[in-house]
Amino acid sequence: MTSTTDQAAPVWSVTEHLEDILATVQPLEPIELQLLDAQGCVLVDDVTVPLSLPPFDNSSMDGYAVRVADVEGASEEFPAVLEVIGDVAAGSAGDLTVGAGQAARIMTGAPLPPGAEAVVPVEWTDGGLGAGPVGGMTPHSASPEGASGEVRVHRPAAARAHVRAQGSDVQAGERALAAGTVLGPSQIALLAAIGRATVRVRPRPRVVVMSTGSELTQPGEGLAHGQIYDSNSFALTAAARDAGAIAYRVGAVADDAETLRSTIEDQLIRADLLVTTGGVSVGAYDVVKEALESVGDEDEAGAGIEFRKLAMQPGKPQGFGSIGPDHTPLLALPGNPVSSYVSFELFVRPAIRTLMGLADVHRPSVRAELRCEEPLSSPKGKRQFLRGAYDAEAGAVRPVGGSGSHLIAALAQADCLIVVPEDTTEVAPGTELEVILLG
Amino acid sequence: MTSTTDQAAPVWSVTEHLEDILATVQPLEPIELQLLDAQGCVLVDDVTVPLSLPPFDNSSMDGYAVRVADVEGASEEFPAVLEVIGDVAAGSAGDLTVGAGQAARIMTGAPLPPGAEAVVPVEWTDGGLGAGPVGGMTPHSASPEGASGEVRVHRPAAARAHVRAQGSDVQAGERALAAGTVLGPSQIALLAAIGRATVRVRPRPRVVVMSTGSELTQPGEGLAHGQIYDSNSFALTAAARDAGAIAYRVGAVADDAETLRSTIEDQLIRADLLVTTGGVSVGAYDVVKEALESVGDEDEAGAGIEFRKLAMQPGKPQGFGSIGPDHTPLLALPGNPVSSYVSFELFVRPAIRTLMGLADVHRPSVRAELRCEEPLSSPKGKRQFLRGAYDAEAGAVRPVGGSGSHLIAALAQADCLIVVPEDTTEVAPGTELEVILLG
């Protein structure tokens, strides 16, 4: 808690609030998931390679498996003529052995048969047709009996030419992936390649998003006087998904403490994290505070939601804590659309990414030069977050829309947040500022 | 087609092949989706604001709606004493009118009642309690009869102070979002705020990924000699999802043309794009070519898959075209894991993003300085794609693993592709090269 005061009430800094959240939220317990269900998740243990890759010497070309001595000095004019003893297809168990003067027709990926020392690509041979060089093999379906007769090889091959050695990719016992790795397509590929059907990861957190406010009407319905459309529950559900969560949207809950309390209790069963918007300020109908003081098992230690004023704009009123028998973390955000979205970016997104076990929970930020006509004013003692449009090439940022926390139309044009420090009250055009990239 | 030849067969450049693909693949027909189902999709039409936001003048604070003249010159020592005529909660229809000497207690977001000209925050008043300044309102539940009696106001308020004017965010008739916008959280927020429950977008393409090869065993099963685990179908399904698609993985199909043909025909019903791996080279068991020449309605114009050799490494053999009665696009990639992954990045990802209607279908690329011990060699006449690790701060890239197309373990450590141009056969350390960021 800082010494800053506002109306005699204590005020926390953005940094303090975030630190408190991150000190409380813990990574979810790992579970074993099917590979494709683990995409985007964080690996919990080092993964060791159980078998070398490739598991056996195999051909990197479609061609003929030969002995090196048999093709030494071969040329198109003076080809080496070899007896073809059959086909080695990819996936074959390989019951052929290549003797002196012999060749086996071999496919890419097929095991190098015993006796063979190298592969000559089919393009270096007559393909067994007795004429000049060929561009490829006769399809198996056209001559299902497989290769036989003779093949003329037009070029020599060094030992192990076009052979991928067993273990040349990875050796059994090596570490394939380190704990903490985020599983993308190529990591999933490696896990599959070493035979893993499932993998132990931290699951995606289930986030329940709930907007509150008796003024909220669902989109698509008619709007009575004094009503507005619920947008926060949509925005934050989408943002939670973007952050990596499985998000559930609960439509607007009316400003009634009992309704809100029972809705939250109902949702606890499917929530690793609860997010509410609205009802956290100083009004007579801000029932979120009231409701959240008595949700779940009050006797258990560690439960409870604390409501704070933060030295930030927008987003001053914030609630955070844990509720219910499992101490499910809950963030209570303010209800103004821009306030709730900025609060999500600053506090909820890092919480979600902490639950996922990610090492880096923050959005990237850069320094950029402010481009605008007039100096910007900023409230003293508050960290201000303005919506901006970032120009990476110019290293510049310009504000989009005003500082009003209801300017949702401008927010939709922004791709970053411009950060004005607490002690700054005016920012001249050309000043360098921190910019949080929302991309 | 370039004039470059290899074994007398024509060879296409990477650029030509990509151009042919992008000239053929068309954005999907738009559909109307629920807002949260449209996340990440491209808006088809401009969206116009049907009602101004906010829809009515409303309070930006919890406080009292007053007339300006009534609070002129007010101070804590000499407060303005006003008659409280009741509450205006958010969502209320607003049946109160504020007369001279009167105030209505008003909540954030509630409509400014007729007669009132400004809002004074509750912190600037005694909250009706008759003592000093308060930090907030008494909860409605604690005094359900609502506000009445008198309130002492300690500070004056200018006209329209703490009032958000109707239409100050957006005006009815303005363009909310332009056609072509990708719908992220804040765009979805805006659509919800203007009352849109659904939106017309191009849907996510359904991509069916199919690996082929009789040597392929599914992860988790036992591995016989000559067999390897199927990794391509996992890698490309995950990569297709990363690109924005709804991806379906079809396990490995054996090297049998009839089986492959019927599997593809079965899958056409759920595919906007088909991707196969393997069976496209010059071997006797490369049945993908054979099967794909006769899938679907052969009499229809425009159908058919063309197989090409490309001047690239890895990824030389490639197939592309369309099949079936709907001319579903199909890309037939080579079977080596690294070849298929690189081919996906170069050809399939741009195709998926074209189907989505995105303006920018390509991965970002940068120039970076090569960091390695020895010069790299690169095959003449081929564009080479090496796996690399990019260091953004240093503007440098180092190769990861070797150039072998089976080095799947190294691929899992890479975060970029290093591009070595066709005419380059050796690259010295320190050379600046194009780097495709796989982010």
Side-chain angles (χ1 to χ4, degrees), chain A residues 36 39 51 56 62 87 91 93 105 135 137 140-141 164 168-170 187 189 192 195 215 220 223 225-227 229 231 238 241 281-285 290 336 406 408-409 412, chain B residues 36 39 51 56 62 87 91 93 105 135 137 140-141 164 168-170 187 189 192 195 215 220 223 225 227 229 231 238 241 281-285 290 336 406 408-409 412:
Chain A
L36 286 173
Q39 187 172 1
L51 80 169
F56 46 87
D62 299 310
D87 276 357
R105 194 169 70 159
M137 294 180 185
H140 176 70
S141 59
R164 300 163 177 156
S168 59
D169 192 346
V170 285
Q187 291 77 31
E215 76 277 27
L223 202 63
H225 180 66
Q227 301 279 321
Y229 287 112
S231 63
R241 288 182 186 165
S281 194
V282 295
Y285 298 78
E290 201 181 333
N336 284 321
H406 60 302
I408 195 171
Chain B
L36 286 173
Q39 188 171 0
L51 81 167
F56 47 86
D62 299 310
D87 276 357
R105 195 168 71 158
M137 294 179 184
H140 175 70
S141 59
R164 300 165 178 152
S168 59
D169 192 348
V170 284
Q187 291 77 31
E215 76 278 25
L223 203 63
H225 180 67
Q227 301 278 320
Y229 288 112
S231 63
R241 286 182 188 167
S281 192
V282 296
Y285 298 78
E290 200 181 336
N336 284 320
H406 61 303
I408 194 171

Coordinates of all heavy atoms in Angstrom, one line a residue, chain A residues 36 39 51 56 62 87 91 93 105 135 137 140-141 164 168-170 187 189 192 195 215 220 223 225-227 229 231 238 241 281-285 290 336 406 408-409 412, chain B residues 36 39 51 56 62 87 91 93 105 135 137 140-141 164 168-170 187 189 192 195 215 220 223 225 227 229 231 238 241 281-285 290 336 406 408-409 412:
Chain A
L36 N -3.0 -33.4 -29.4 CA -3.6 -32.2 -30.0 C -4.5 -31.4 -29.0 O -4.7 -30.2 -29.2 CB -4.5 -32.6 -31.2 CG -3.6 -33.0 -32.4 CD1 -4.5 -33.5 -33.5 CD2 -2.8 -31.8 -32.9
Q39 N -2.1 -28.6 -27.3 CA -1.6 -27.5 -28.1 C -1.7 -26.2 -27.3 O -2.7 -25.9 -26.8 CB -2.3 -27.4 -29.4 CG -1.7 -26.4 -30.4 CD -2.4 -26.4 -31.8 OE1 -3.3 -27.2 -32.0 NE2 -1.9 -25.6 -32.7
L51 N 13.2 -43.9 -28.0 CA 13.9 -44.6 -29.1 C 14.6 -43.6 -30.0 O 14.1 -42.5 -30.2 CB 12.9 -45.5 -29.9 CG 12.0 -44.8 -30.9 CD1 11.3 -45.8 -31.8 CD2 11.0 -43.8 -30.3
F56 N 15.9 -46.8 -37.4 CA 16.7 -47.7 -38.2 C 17.3 -47.0 -39.4 O 16.8 -45.9 -39.8 CB 15.8 -48.9 -38.7 CG 14.5 -48.4 -39.3 CD1 14.5 -48.1 -40.7 CD2 13.4 -48.3 -38.5 CE1 13.3 -47.6 -41.2 CE2 12.2 -47.8 -39.1 CZ 12.1 -47.5 -40.5
D62 N 14.2 -42.5 -53.3 CA 13.7 -43.6 -54.0 C 14.8 -44.1 -55.0 O 15.3 -43.3 -55.7 CB 12.4 -43.2 -54.9 CG 11.3 -42.7 -54.0 OD1 11.0 -43.4 -53.0 OD2 10.8 -41.6 -54.2
D87 N 11.7 -55.6 -54.0 CA 11.4 -54.2 -53.5 C 11.6 -54.2 -52.0 O 11.2 -55.1 -51.3 CB 9.9 -53.9 -53.8 CG 9.8 -53.4 -55.2 OD1 10.8 -53.2 -55.9 OD2 8.6 -53.2 -55.6
G91 N 7.9 -49.1 -44.6 CA 7.0 -49.9 -43.7 C 7.3 -51.4 -43.8 O 6.7 -52.2 -43.1
A93 N 9.1 -55.0 -43.4 CA 10.0 -55.5 -42.3 C 11.4 -55.8 -42.8 O 12.3 -55.9 -42.0 CB 9.4 -56.8 -41.7
R105 N 15.4 -52.7 -55.0 CA 14.7 -51.4 -55.3 C 14.2 -50.9 -53.9 O 13.5 -51.7 -53.2 CB 13.6 -51.6 -56.3 CG 13.1 -50.3 -56.8 CD 12.2 -50.5 -58.0 NE 10.9 -51.1 -57.7 CZ 9.8 -51.0 -58.4 NH1 9.9 -50.3 -59.6 NH2 8.7 -51.5 -58.0
G135 N 13.1 -40.9 -64.9 CA 12.8 -39.8 -63.9 C 12.1 -40.3 -62.7 O 12.0 -39.6 -61.7
M137 N 10.2 -44.3 -60.7 CA 9.9 -45.7 -60.8 C 8.6 -46.0 -61.5 O 7.7 -45.2 -61.4 CB 9.9 -46.3 -59.4 CG 11.2 -46.3 -58.7 SD 11.1 -47.0 -57.0 CE 12.7 -46.7 -56.4
H140 N 4.1 -49.4 -58.5 CA 3.8 -50.7 -58.1 C 2.6 -51.3 -58.6 O 2.5 -52.5 -59.0 CB 3.8 -50.7 -56.5 CG 3.5 -52.0 -55.9 ND1 4.4 -53.1 -56.0 CD2 2.4 -52.5 -55.3 CE1 3.8 -54.2 -55.4 NE2 2.6 -53.8 -54.9
S141 N 1.5 -50.5 -58.7 CA 0.2 -51.0 -59.2 C 0.3 -51.4 -60.6 O -0.5 -52.2 -61.1 CB -0.9 -49.9 -59.0 OG -0.5 -48.7 -59.7
R164 N 20.0 -42.4 -44.2 CA 19.8 -41.7 -42.9 C 20.1 -42.7 -41.8 O 19.4 -43.7 -41.7 CB 18.4 -41.3 -42.7 CG 17.9 -40.3 -43.8 CD 16.4 -40.3 -43.6 NE 15.7 -39.4 -44.6 CZ 14.5 -39.5 -45.0 NH1 13.7 -40.5 -44.6 NH2 14.0 -38.6 -45.8
S168 N 20.4 -40.5 -36.1 CA 21.0 -39.3 -36.6 C 20.2 -38.1 -36.3 O 20.7 -36.9 -36.3 CB 21.3 -39.4 -38.1 OG 20.1 -39.6 -38.8
D169 N 18.9 -38.2 -36.0 CA 18.1 -37.1 -35.6 C 18.2 -36.9 -34.1 O 18.7 -35.9 -33.6 CB 16.6 -37.4 -36.1 CG 15.8 -36.1 -36.0 OD1 16.2 -35.2 -35.3 OD2 14.7 -36.2 -36.5
V170 N 17.7 -37.9 -33.3 CA 18.0 -37.9 -31.9 C 18.3 -39.3 -31.4 O 17.9 -40.3 -32.1 CB 16.7 -37.4 -31.1 CG1 16.6 -35.9 -31.1 CG2 15.5 -38.1 -31.5
Q187 N 6.7 -29.0 -31.7 CA 6.9 -29.8 -30.5 C 5.9 -31.0 -30.4 O 6.3 -32.1 -30.0 CB 6.7 -28.9 -29.3 CG 7.8 -27.8 -29.1 CD 7.6 -26.6 -30.0 OE1 6.5 -26.3 -30.3 NE2 8.7 -26.0 -30.4
A189 N 4.8 -32.4 -33.1 CA 5.4 -33.3 -34.1 C 6.5 -34.2 -33.5 O 6.5 -35.4 -33.7 CB 6.0 -32.5 -35.2
A192 N 4.9 -36.8 -31.1 CA 4.3 -37.9 -31.9 C 5.4 -38.8 -32.5 O 5.3 -40.0 -32.5 CB 3.4 -37.3 -33.0
G195 N 6.6 -41.4 -30.4 CA 5.6 -42.4 -30.0 C 4.7 -42.0 -28.8 O 3.9 -42.8 -28.3
E215 N -28.7 -2.3 -15.7 CA -28.9 -1.6 -17.0 C -28.6 -2.4 -18.2 O -28.7 -1.9 -19.3 CB -28.1 -0.3 -16.9 CG -26.6 -0.4 -17.1 CD -25.8 -0.8 -15.9 OE1 -26.4 -1.5 -15.0 OE2 -24.6 -0.5 -15.8
G220 N -29.1 -7.8 -29.5 CA -30.1 -8.5 -30.3 C -31.5 -8.2 -29.7 O -32.5 -8.4 -30.4
L223 N -34.0 -2.2 -26.7 CA -33.3 -1.4 -25.6 C -34.3 -0.4 -25.1 O -34.7 0.5 -25.7 CB -32.1 -0.7 -26.3 CG -31.0 -0.2 -25.4 CD1 -30.3 -1.4 -24.7 CD2 -30.0 0.6 -26.2
H225 N -35.4 2.7 -22.4 CA -34.7 3.9 -21.9 C -33.9 3.6 -20.6 O -34.4 3.0 -19.7 CB -35.6 5.1 -21.7 CG -34.9 6.3 -21.2 ND1 -34.0 7.0 -22.0 CD2 -34.8 7.0 -20.0 CE1 -33.5 8.0 -21.4 NE2 -34.0 8.0 -20.1
G226 N -32.7 4.1 -20.6 CA -31.8 3.9 -19.4 C -31.0 2.6 -19.5 O -30.1 2.4 -18.7
Q227 N -31.3 1.8 -20.5 CA -30.6 0.5 -20.7 C -29.4 0.7 -21.7 O -29.5 1.5 -22.6 CB -31.5 -0.5 -21.3 CG -32.7 -0.8 -20.4 CD -32.4 -1.8 -19.3 OE1 -31.7 -2.7 -19.5 NE2 -32.9 -1.5 -18.1
Y229 N -26.4 -2.0 -23.9 CA -26.1 -3.4 -24.3 C -24.9 -3.9 -23.5 O -24.0 -3.1 -23.2 CB -25.9 -3.5 -25.8 CG -27.1 -3.4 -26.6 CD1 -27.4 -2.4 -27.4 CD2 -28.1 -4.4 -26.4 CE1 -28.5 -2.3 -28.2 CE2 -29.3 -4.3 -27.2 CZ -29.5 -3.2 -28.0 OH -30.7 -3.2 -28.7
S231 N -21.7 -5.4 -23.2 CA -20.5 -5.7 -24.1 C -19.4 -6.3 -23.3 O -18.6 -7.0 -23.9 CB -20.1 -4.4 -24.8 OG -19.6 -3.4 -23.9
A238 N -13.9 -13.1 -25.0 CA -13.0 -13.2 -26.2 C -11.5 -13.0 -25.7 O -10.6 -13.7 -26.2 CB -13.4 -12.2 -27.2
R241 N -10.1 -16.0 -24.0 CA -9.7 -17.0 -25.0 C -8.4 -16.7 -25.7 O -7.5 -17.5 -25.9 CB -10.8 -17.2 -26.1 CG -12.0 -17.9 -25.6 CD -13.0 -18.0 -26.7 NE -14.3 -18.5 -26.2 CZ -15.4 -18.5 -26.9 NH1 -15.4 -17.9 -28.1 NH2 -16.5 -19.0 -26.4
S281 N -17.8 0.0 -7.3 CA -17.4 1.3 -7.0 C -18.2 1.8 -5.7 O -18.4 0.9 -4.8 CB -17.8 2.3 -8.1 OG -17.2 3.5 -8.0
V282 N -18.5 3.0 -5.6 CA -19.0 3.5 -4.3 C -20.5 3.8 -4.3 O -21.0 4.5 -3.4 CB -18.2 4.8 -3.9 CG1 -16.8 4.5 -3.6 CG2 -18.4 5.9 -4.9
G283 N -21.2 3.3 -5.4 CA -22.6 3.6 -5.5 C -23.4 2.7 -4.5 O -23.0 1.7 -4.0
A284 N -24.7 3.1 -4.4 CA -25.6 2.4 -3.5 C -26.0 1.0 -4.0 O -26.5 0.2 -3.3 CB -26.8 3.2 -3.2
Y285 N -25.8 0.8 -5.3 CA -26.3 -0.4 -5.9 C -25.1 -1.3 -6.4 O -25.2 -2.1 -7.2 CB -27.2 -0.1 -7.1 CG -28.5 0.5 -6.7 CD1 -28.5 1.9 -6.4 CD2 -29.7 -0.2 -6.5 CE1 -29.6 2.6 -6.0 CE2 -30.8 0.5 -6.1 CZ -30.8 1.8 -5.9 OH -32.0 2.5 -5.5
E290 N -20.8 -6.4 -1.8 CA -21.6 -7.0 -0.8 C -21.8 -8.5 -1.0 O -21.6 -9.3 0.0 CB -23.0 -6.3 -1.0 CG -23.9 -6.4 0.2 CD -25.2 -5.7 -0.1 OE1 -25.3 -4.8 -0.9 OE2 -26.2 -6.1 0.6
N336 N -17.2 0.0 -16.5 CA -17.1 0.8 -17.7 C -16.3 -0.1 -18.7 O -15.3 -0.7 -18.4 CB -16.3 2.1 -17.5 CG -17.2 3.1 -16.8 OD1 -18.4 3.2 -17.1 ND2 -16.6 3.9 -15.9
H406 N -15.6 5.4 -21.3 CA -16.7 4.8 -22.1 C -16.5 4.7 -23.6 O -17.3 4.4 -24.3 CB -18.0 5.5 -21.7 CG -18.0 7.0 -22.1 ND1 -17.0 7.8 -21.6 CD2 -18.7 7.7 -22.9 CE1 -17.2 9.0 -22.2 NE2 -18.3 8.9 -23.0
I408 N -15.7 3.1 -26.2 CA -15.5 1.8 -26.7 C -15.3 1.7 -28.2 O -14.7 0.8 -28.7 CB -16.8 0.9 -26.3 CG1 -16.5 -0.6 -26.4 CG2 -18.0 1.3 -27.0 CD1 -17.5 -1.5 -25.8
A409 N -15.8 2.7 -28.9 CA -15.6 2.8 -30.3 C -14.1 3.0 -30.6 O -13.6 2.4 -31.5 CB -16.5 3.8 -31.0
A412 N -11.8 0.0 -30.2 CA -11.8 -1.0 -31.3 C -10.9 -0.6 -32.4 O -10.6 -1.5 -33.2 CB -13.3 -1.2 -31.8
Chain B
L36 N -19.3 -14.4 -30.4 CA -18.1 -15.1 -29.9 C -17.7 -16.2 -30.8 O -16.5 -16.7 -30.8 CB -18.4 -15.6 -28.5 CG -18.4 -14.6 -27.4 CD1 -18.8 -15.1 -26.1 CD2 -17.0 -13.9 -27.3
Q39 N -15.0 -14.7 -33.4 CA -13.7 -14.3 -33.0 C -12.6 -14.7 -33.9 O -12.5 -15.9 -34.3 CB -13.4 -14.8 -31.6 CG -12.2 -14.2 -30.9 CD -12.0 -14.6 -29.5 OE1 -12.9 -15.3 -28.9 NE2 -11.0 -14.1 -28.8
L51 N -27.4 3.0 -33.2 CA -27.8 3.9 -32.1 C -26.6 4.6 -31.6 O -25.5 4.0 -31.5 CB -28.6 3.2 -31.0 CG -27.9 2.5 -30.0 CD1 -28.8 2.1 -28.8 CD2 -27.2 1.2 -30.5
F56 N -27.9 7.7 -24.1 CA -28.6 8.8 -23.4 C -27.5 9.4 -22.5 O -26.5 8.8 -22.2 CB -29.7 8.2 -22.5 CG -29.3 7.0 -21.7 CD1 -28.7 7.1 -20.5 CD2 -29.5 5.7 -22.3 CE1 -28.3 6.0 -19.8 CE2 -29.1 4.6 -21.6 CZ -28.5 4.7 -20.3
D62 N -20.7 7.9 -9.3 CA -21.8 7.8 -8.2 C -21.8 9.1 -7.5 O -20.8 9.6 -7.0 CB -21.4 6.6 -7.3 CG -21.3 5.3 -8.0 OD1 -22.2 4.9 -8.7 OD2 -20.2 4.6 -7.8
D87 N -33.6 8.1 -5.8 CA -32.5 7.4 -6.4 C -32.7 7.3 -8.0 O -33.8 7.0 -8.4 CB -32.3 6.0 -5.9 CG -31.5 5.9 -4.6 OD1 -31.0 7.0 -4.2 OD2 -31.4 4.8 -4.1
G91 N -29.9 1.6 -15.2 CA -31.0 0.7 -15.7 C -32.3 1.3 -15.4 O -33.3 0.7 -15.9
A93 N -35.6 3.6 -15.6 CA -36.2 4.3 -16.7 C -36.2 5.8 -16.5 O -36.3 6.6 -17.4 CB -37.6 3.9 -16.9
R105 N -30.1 11.3 -6.1 CA -28.9 10.4 -5.9 C -28.8 9.6 -7.2 O -29.8 8.9 -7.6 CB -29.0 9.6 -4.7 CG -27.7 9.0 -4.2 CD -27.8 8.3 -2.9 NE -28.6 7.1 -2.9 CZ -28.5 6.1 -2.0 NH1 -27.6 6.3 -1.0 NH2 -29.3 5.1 -2.0
G135 N -16.9 8.6 1.8 CA -16.1 7.9 0.8 C -17.0 7.1 -0.2 O -16.5 6.7 -1.2
M137 N -21.5 5.7 -1.0 CA -22.9 5.7 -0.6 C -23.2 4.6 0.4 O -22.6 3.5 0.4 CB -23.8 5.5 -1.8 CG -23.7 6.7 -2.8 SD -24.8 6.4 -4.2 CE -24.4 7.8 -5.2
H140 N -27.8 0.2 -1.0 CA -29.2 0.2 -1.1 C -29.9 -0.8 -0.2 O -30.9 -0.6 0.4 CB -29.5 -0.1 -2.6 CG -31.0 -0.3 -2.9 ND1 -31.9 0.8 -2.9 CD2 -31.7 -1.3 -3.2 CE1 -33.1 0.4 -3.1 NE2 -33.0 -0.9 -3.3
S141 N -29.2 -2.0 -0.1 CA -29.7 -3.1 0.7 C -29.8 -2.7 2.2 O -30.7 -3.2 2.9 CB -28.9 -4.3 0.6 OG -27.6 -4.1 1.0
R164 N -21.7 12.0 -19.2 CA -21.3 11.5 -20.5 C -22.4 11.8 -21.5 O -23.5 11.3 -21.3 CB -21.1 10.0 -20.5 CG -20.1 9.5 -19.5 CD -20.3 8.0 -19.4 NE -19.3 7.4 -18.5 CZ -19.5 6.3 -17.8 NH1 -20.7 5.7 -17.9 NH2 -18.6 5.9 -17.1
S168 N -21.5 10.7 -27.4 CA -20.1 11.2 -27.3 C -19.1 10.1 -27.6 O -17.9 10.4 -27.9 CB -19.8 11.7 -25.9 OG -20.0 10.7 -24.9
D169 N -19.5 8.9 -27.6 CA -18.6 7.8 -28.0 C -18.7 7.6 -29.5 O -17.8 7.8 -30.3 CB -19.0 6.5 -27.2 CG -17.9 5.4 -27.4 OD1 -17.0 5.5 -28.2 OD2 -18.0 4.4 -26.6
V170 N -19.9 7.2 -30.0 CA -20.2 7.2 -31.5 C -21.6 7.6 -31.7 O -22.5 7.5 -30.9 CB -20.0 5.7 -32.1 CG1 -18.6 5.3 -32.2 CG2 -20.9 4.7 -31.3
Q187 N -13.2 -5.4 -30.9 CA -14.2 -5.3 -32.0 C -15.5 -6.0 -31.6 O -16.6 -5.5 -31.9 CB -13.6 -5.8 -33.3 CG -12.5 -5.0 -33.9 CD -11.2 -5.2 -33.2 OE1 -10.9 -6.3 -32.7 NE2 -10.3 -4.2 -33.1
A189 N -16.5 -6.4 -28.6 CA -17.1 -5.5 -27.6 C -17.9 -4.4 -28.2 O -19.1 -4.1 -27.8 CB -16.0 -4.8 -26.7
A192 N -21.2 -5.8 -29.7 CA -22.1 -6.0 -28.6 C -22.7 -4.7 -28.1 O -23.9 -4.6 -28.0 CB -21.5 -6.8 -27.5
G195 N -25.5 -3.4 -30.0 CA -26.7 -4.3 -30.0 C -26.6 -5.5 -31.0 O -27.6 -6.2 -31.2
E215 N 4.4 -47.2 -43.7 CA 5.3 -47.3 -42.6 C 4.9 -46.6 -41.3 O 5.5 -46.7 -40.3 CB 6.7 -46.8 -43.0 CG 6.8 -45.2 -43.1 CD 6.3 -44.6 -44.3 OE1 5.4 -45.2 -45.0 OE2 6.7 -43.5 -44.7
G220 N 1.8 -44.2 -29.4 CA 1.2 -44.9 -28.3 C 1.1 -46.4 -28.6 O 1.0 -47.3 -27.7
L223 N 6.0 -50.4 -32.0 CA 6.6 -50.1 -33.3 C 7.3 -51.3 -33.9 O 8.3 -51.8 -33.3 CB 7.6 -49.0 -33.1 CG 8.0 -48.1 -34.3 CD1 6.8 -47.3 -34.8 CD2 9.1 -47.1 -33.8
H225 N 9.7 -53.4 -36.7 CA 10.8 -53.0 -37.5 C 10.4 -52.4 -38.9 O 9.5 -53.0 -39.5 CB 11.8 -54.2 -37.8 CG 13.0 -53.8 -38.6 ND1 14.0 -52.9 -38.1 CD2 13.4 -54.1 -39.9 CE1 14.9 -52.7 -39.0 NE2 14.5 -53.4 -40.1
Q227 N 9.0 -49.6 -39.2 CA 7.9 -48.7 -39.0 C 8.4 -47.4 -38.3 O 9.4 -47.5 -37.5 CB 6.8 -49.3 -38.1 CG 6.2 -50.6 -38.6 CD 5.1 -50.3 -39.6 OE1 4.3 -49.4 -39.4 NE2 5.0 -51.0 -40.7
Y229 N 6.7 -43.6 -36.3 CA 5.5 -43.0 -35.8 C 5.0 -41.9 -36.7 O 5.8 -41.2 -37.3 CB 5.6 -42.5 -34.4 CG 5.7 -43.6 -33.4 CD1 6.9 -43.8 -32.7 CD2 4.6 -44.4 -33.1 CE1 7.0 -44.9 -31.7 CE2 4.7 -45.4 -32.2 CZ 5.9 -45.7 -31.5 OH 5.9 -46.7 -30.6
S231 N 3.9 -38.5 -37.4 CA 4.0 -37.2 -36.7 C 3.4 -36.1 -37.6 O 2.9 -35.1 -37.1 CB 5.4 -36.9 -36.4 OG 6.3 -36.8 -37.5
A238 N -2.1 -29.3 -35.9 CA -1.8 -28.2 -35.0 C -1.5 -26.9 -35.7 O -1.9 -25.8 -35.4 CB -0.7 -28.6 -34.1
R241 N -4.6 -25.2 -37.2 CA -5.3 -24.5 -36.1 C -4.6 -23.2 -35.8 O -5.3 -22.2 -35.6 CB -5.4 -25.4 -34.8 CG -6.3 -26.5 -34.9 CD -6.3 -27.2 -33.6 NE -7.1 -28.5 -33.7 CZ -7.1 -29.4 -32.8 NH1 -6.4 -29.3 -31.7 NH2 -7.8 -30.5 -33.0
S281 N 6.5 -38.5 -54.4 CA 7.8 -38.5 -55.1 C 7.8 -39.5 -56.2 O 6.8 -39.8 -56.8 CB 8.9 -38.8 -54.0 OG 10.1 -38.5 -54.5
V282 N 9.0 -40.1 -56.5 CA 9.2 -40.9 -57.7 C 9.2 -42.4 -57.4 O 9.6 -43.1 -58.3 CB 10.4 -40.4 -58.5 CG1 10.3 -39.0 -59.0 CG2 11.7 -40.6 -57.6
G283 N 8.8 -42.8 -56.2 CA 8.9 -44.2 -55.8 C 7.8 -45.0 -56.4 O 6.8 -44.4 -56.9
A284 N 7.9 -46.3 -56.4 CA 6.9 -47.2 -56.9 C 5.7 -47.3 -56.1 O 4.6 -47.7 -56.5 CB 7.5 -48.6 -57.1
Y285 N 5.8 -46.8 -54.8 CA 4.6 -46.9 -53.9 C 4.1 -45.5 -53.6 O 3.4 -45.3 -52.6 CB 5.0 -47.6 -52.6 CG 5.4 -49.1 -52.9 CD1 6.7 -49.4 -53.4 CD2 4.5 -50.1 -52.7 CE1 7.0 -50.7 -53.7 CE2 4.9 -51.4 -52.9 CZ 6.1 -51.7 -53.4 OH 6.5 -53.0 -53.7
E290 N -1.2 -41.2 -58.0 CA -2.1 -42.1 -58.7 C -3.5 -41.9 -58.3 O -4.5 -41.8 -59.1 CB -1.6 -43.5 -58.4 CG -2.1 -44.6 -59.3 CD -1.5 -46.0 -58.9 OE1 -0.5 -46.0 -58.1 OE2 -2.2 -47.0 -59.2
N336 N 8.5 -36.3 -45.7 CA 9.5 -36.1 -44.6 C 8.9 -35.1 -43.7 O 8.4 -34.0 -44.1 CB 10.8 -35.6 -45.2 CG 11.6 -36.8 -45.9 OD1 11.6 -37.9 -45.3 ND2 12.1 -36.5 -47.0
H406 N 14.9 -34.9 -42.3 CA 14.2 -35.7 -41.3 C 14.6 -35.2 -39.8 O 14.2 -35.9 -38.9 CB 14.7 -37.2 -41.5 CG 16.2 -37.4 -41.3 ND1 17.1 -36.7 -42.1 CD2 16.9 -38.1 -40.5 CE1 18.3 -37.0 -41.7 NE2 18.2 -37.9 -40.8
I408 N 13.6 -33.8 -37.2 CA 12.4 -33.3 -36.5 C 12.7 -32.8 -35.1 O 12.1 -31.9 -34.6 CB 11.3 -34.4 -36.5 CG1 10.0 -33.8 -36.2 CG2 11.7 -35.5 -35.6 CD1 8.9 -34.7 -36.4
A409 N 13.8 -33.3 -34.5 CA 14.1 -32.9 -33.2 C 14.6 -31.5 -33.2 O 14.3 -30.6 -32.3 CB 15.2 -33.8 -32.5
A412 N 11.9 -28.7 -33.6 CA 11.2 -28.4 -32.4 C 11.9 -27.3 -31.6 O 11.4 -26.7 -30.7 CB 11.0 -29.6 -31.5

